[in-house]
Amino acid sequence: MMLAGTLCLVSGFLPWPAFLKLAGRTIPVLSFVVAMTLVTELVDDAGLFRVVTGRIASLGRGRVFLLWLLVIALATVSTVFLSLDTTAVLVTPVVVLLAVHAKIPPLPFALTTVWLANTASLLLPVSNLTNLLAQDRLALRPMEFAVLLWAPALVGVLVPVVLLWLAFRKNLRGRYGPQPAHHVRDRPLLYVSGGTVVVLLPALVSGIPVAFPAMAAALFLLVVFLWRRPSTLRWSMVPWRPLMLASGLFPLMEALHSHGLAQVLTPVAGSGDGLGDLLRLAALGAGAANAANNLPAYLAMEPVAGSPVRLAALLVGVNLGPLVSPWASLATLLWHERLQTLNLRVRWGGFAVAGLAAVVLTLPLAVLALWLSNGMP
């Protein structure tokens, strides 16, 4: 994909002025992605997520349903403040192991993390790469962004959770035994990592460009780990796959827009702010995400989402919609890789059917919530 983007630039298919404008917009976004990935990888290595899940196991008081509710809270908070990839990559393994040690069927917990990694990613710009691009286009502060999207974001959490409970309610009954204690290798490192996250989270919603606090936190933790545990640092912590994907898709889509892609999509996507037009745009975004991936789906249709509420409807489609195909979002692929390392198998046929049912129910309700909360006529 990166080769395709490079060829667009070298061949002149992407004009140089358009590339410079694109670079000015996307370099801060990609810098944030790299910095936040490093932060979450390092705090995970310090043991923060395992300590949190251990605390969750204690708070569950031996009741499976209460434990599941606490996992929902963890996955939602992780997605909203640390991004969907963090939930898919770092929360999934500790949650699945928590279920295994508790002798609870792990599939309901695994499916909870991947659904919420996608559907809980609407509220803040930092929750999803698509949101960061939309925030840049709308020039909104994080809290203004949340005001625009709070209602569909709430639907995106509540409806999938209800569906998961209906599907797995028999597995979520009963009690579980004590969990094995987690040994903290370096307690000062754990405290420093936890404190860094506590300081970082409000900074990400303060209105400061999010790349700055994220890069500051990443640099601070890199220095701390160089001092305390240098063997932890490795090149695989850098999110090469998202970077390669984005570095190719951004110029490719910009080149297509330079040659009239928006004009082709406008008759299909519509142009109004009415409920029907918003539903059509969200459905188109969800369909394109499941056919290809949510990032190119967003990039392709961003220019035809000409108002804030239309752009919000597009986000509803590309964020809540990728529950059917495994490639619809990178988070789902990363989630599946983590499950394979844990020897937990997922049947993609069943995954697709369940995801389709969730999308069919969640998407219209989320668009309706968006339309009503923004005072649409």
Side-chain angles (χ1 to χ4, degrees), residues 3 14 17 24 34 39 65 95 97 103 114 134 162 175 182 199 207-208 222 230 239 254 307 314-315 330 339 357 366:
L3 179 60
L14 174 60
V34 172
V39 168
F65 181 69
V95 165
L97 288 174
K103 295 182 172 53
V114 73
V162 170
R175 302 186 66 82
H182 169 65
V199 173
I208 302 170
L222 283 171
E254 188 66 24
S307 67
L314 175 58
L315 288 177
L330 181 62
L339 293 189

Side-chain angles (χ1 to χ4, degrees), residues 204-226:
L204 293 176
V205 297
S206 66
I208 302 170
V210 291
F212 295 147
M215 287 190 292
L219 288 172
F220 173 71
L221 286 175
L222 283 171
V223 171
V224 172
F225 272 79
L226 277 171

Side-chain angles (χ1 to χ4, degrees), residues 256-267:
L256 292 173
H257 282 302
S258 298
H259 291 79
L261 178 61
Q263 287 76 12
V264 174
L265 291 175
T266 297

Side-chain angles (χ1 to χ4, degrees), residues 63-65 68 103-106 108-109 162-175:
R63 296 164 55 191
V64 175
F65 181 69
W68 180 64
K103 295 182 172 53
I104 305 168
F109 290 80
V162 170
L163 294 176
L164 287 165
W165 178 78
L166 290 172
F168 294 110
R169 59 189 181 277
K170 291 182 180 179
N171 299 119
L172 297 173
R173 296 172 182 166
R175 302 186 66 82

Side-chain angles (χ1 to χ4, degrees), residues 311-373:
L311 197 60
L314 175 58
L315 288 177
V316 168
V318 300
N319 287 18
L320 305 190
L323 299 181
V324 182
S325 67
W327 55 81
S329 81
L330 181 62
T332 302
L333 293 174
L334 296 173
W335 168 82
H336 184 247
E337 287 182 359
R338 285 298 192 268
L339 293 189
Q340 285 184 311
T341 63
L342 298 170
N343 293 318
L344 181 60
R345 305 300 173 194
V346 174
R347 293 181 298 172
W348 285 119
F351 179 91
V353 170
L356 180 61
V359 171
V360 167
L361 291 170
T362 306
L363 207 66
L365 291 174
V367 174
L368 177 62
L370 172 69
W371 184 70
L372 291 173
S373 64

Side-chain angles (χ1 to χ4, degrees), residues 271-303:
S271 58
D273 290 345
L275 180 59
D277 285 316
L278 298 181
L279 284 168
R280 179 163 58 158
L281 181 58
L284 186 61
N290 283 290
N293 179 268
N294 64 337
L295 184 55
Y298 173 83
L299 292 171
M301 286 181 282
E302 184 190 63

Side-chain angles (χ1 to χ4, degrees), residues 47-86:
L48 183 63
F49 288 105
R50 289 183 289 278
V51 168
V52 170
T53 51
R55 182 60 180 160
I56 282 175
S58 299
L59 292 173
R61 301 180 181 277
R63 296 164 55 191
V64 175
F65 181 69
L66 180 55
L67 179 66
W68 180 64
L69 291 180
L70 291 168
V71 166
I72 289 169
L74 173 62
T76 301
V77 171
S78 169
T79 301
V80 169
F81 289 99
L82 298 176
S83 88
L84 72 170
D85 291 341
T86 298

